[in-house]
Structures are given as structure tokens and as C-alpha cells.
Amino acid sequence: MIVAIEGMITQKEPTFITIKTNSGLSYGIYVSLFCSAKLQKNEKIELFISQIIKEDSNKFYGFLDKNEQKMFELLLKINGIGATTAMAICSSLDVNSFYKALQLNDENVFKKIPGIGPKSAKRIIVELSDNKILLENTQDDSKSQALAALISLGFKQDKALQALSQCQSNETSELIKEALKKLS
């Protein structure tokens, strides 16, 4: 399994690039529009890779941001969402907008994306509802640690998350104190 590719960008299209490695191999890699906007031809880069092998193809999907890659891979787990649709979502929503839409159960955000209808939008929200905790906390390590502490104290995840979302502090210990006050 390939997890990252480093090399020089030799070709660049809006959602597809070619990277030539030092060994002389060139790889075709699909990227989101957000990722593509940050890349320049003849630039040396390293991309995180999600490799999808099917009966008739072997495709690479590249990401500069680990959180965008995590978002892509979560979307692939949803029934009816393939790599093309997942990449369309990654190209339409940045990571923060995606997390916010999930947190708010906002189907309309997903319906605006080409290839996503009302049923798919609902499916995304329903099937990723179990992963909301992971998604919300990939951005903020101190909140993640505070959430783990509150859960270990016996609080339910949804209540702990709700309390943490109302907290102002950036330090783990202060977040826990604020959340405990809100939970009592």
C-alpha cells in the first residue's frame, strides 16, 4: 500500500496532477480543487495518498492535509458514495465546512454539491453521525483530550460534546473545568 508520494509536479490539471519521483516513476494523482489551488507546476511536494484498487483500475487520490484525507476516507465508507463523489465533496467543502454541516445536520450544504441528492445528503449525515466525535475533534487536540477525560468520568459523549462546544478556553485542564461546571 502506498501512503505518500514525494516528487516534482510535471503536469497539472484542475483535479489531476502528475508527479515524477526521484526514481524516475511518474504517478497520476487525483486531487481536490482546494489541494490543486495550493500546488504549482515544477514544485516539489509530498502528498498523502489514498489508493483505491479495483478489478479494472488502480487510482491514487492525493491530499496535502491529513484531515482532508480522513474526510475522503470516511465518505468512501458510506453506501452509494464512490471515490468520484467523495472527491467532489472534498472539492466543494473545506474540512471545517464539512464538519460544521455534519454537526448541524445541515442536508442543504450537501445537496448543493453536484451528484448529491436529498437521499445521499441524508445518508451522509445519518451514517457519519457516529463519527461526529472524531470529526469535531480532529481540529483541536485540547478539546479531544478534554472529551476523553469527561467520558472517563462517566459523562455521555453527546452531553460532553455539547458542554465542550460552549467552552471558551484553549487549555485542556481549563476546558475540563468549564465543561464540568456546565454539566453539573
Side-chain angles (χ1 to χ4, degrees):
M1 177 170 76
I2 296 173
V3 295
I5 295 176
E6 182 179 340
M8 184 78 67
I9 298 173
T10 57
Q11 290 182 321
K12 182 180 176 228
E13 295 173 20
T15 59
F16 187 82
I17 62 169
T18 303
I19 294 180
K20 186 171 188 170
T21 64
N22 287 338
S23 64
L25 286 174
S26 290
Y27 293 94
I29 303 169
Y30 294 93
V31 294
S32 71
L33 291 173
F34 291 112
C35 182
S36 180
K38 297 174 186 172
L39 302 174
Q40 298 297 321
K41 192 173 176 181
N42 298 322
E43 175 185 26
K44 187 173 182 177
I45 58 144
E46 180 179 14
L47 291 177
F48 299 109
I49 298 294
S50 291
Q51 183 178 12
I52 299 179
I53 300 172
K54 291 187 177 177
E55 191 174 294
D56 59 344
S57 67
N58 181 6
K59 294 183 179 177
F60 298 111
Y61 296 87
F63 306 92
L64 285 170
D65 181 13
K66 200 74 162 142
N67 289 323
E68 186 181 26
Q69 182 184 27
K70 190 179 289 188
M71 176 176 126
F72 175 78
E73 290 175 352
L74 278 172
L75 286 164
L76 290 177
K77 294 178 183 176
I78 298 172
N79 188 22
I81 303 286
T84 305
T85 305
M87 195 52 80
I89 294 170
C90 289
S91 291
S92 301
L93 297 173
D94 65 13
V95 176
N96 291 329
S97 300
F98 176 75
Y99 295 158
K100 190 173 214 167
L102 277 178
Q103 186 178 17
L104 299 174
N105 294 328
D106 191 353
E107 293 175 25
N108 293 324
V109 170
F110 295 106
K111 286 185 210 174
K112 292 176 185 174
I113 299 167
I116 303 287
K119 288 181 182 178
S120 295
K122 280 183 185 174
R123 192 177 310 120
I124 289 169
I125 290 171
V126 169
E127 292 194 28
L128 291 181
S129 64
D130 295 340
N131 292 305
K132 281 183 190 174
I133 295 144
L134 290 171
L135 294 172
E136 290 171 12
N137 292 293
T138 56
Q139 300 298 311
D140 191 350
D141 195 42
S142 59
K143 278 195 177 182
S144 177
Q145 291 173 1
L147 176 64
L150 291 170
I151 291 170
S152 71
L153 290 172
F155 292 100
K156 297 218 181 269
Q157 290 179 346
D158 57 339
K159 298 277 187 199
L161 264 178
Q162 188 176 21
L164 284 171
S165 68
Q166 299 169 4
C167 295
Q168 302 298 318
S169 182
N170 291 329
E171 293 183 31
T172 304
S173 60
E174 294 299 317
L175 277 170
I176 294 169
K177 288 177 187 176
E178 276 187 68
L180 285 171
K181 286 179 185 174
K182 293 181 187 311
L183 289 166
S184 59

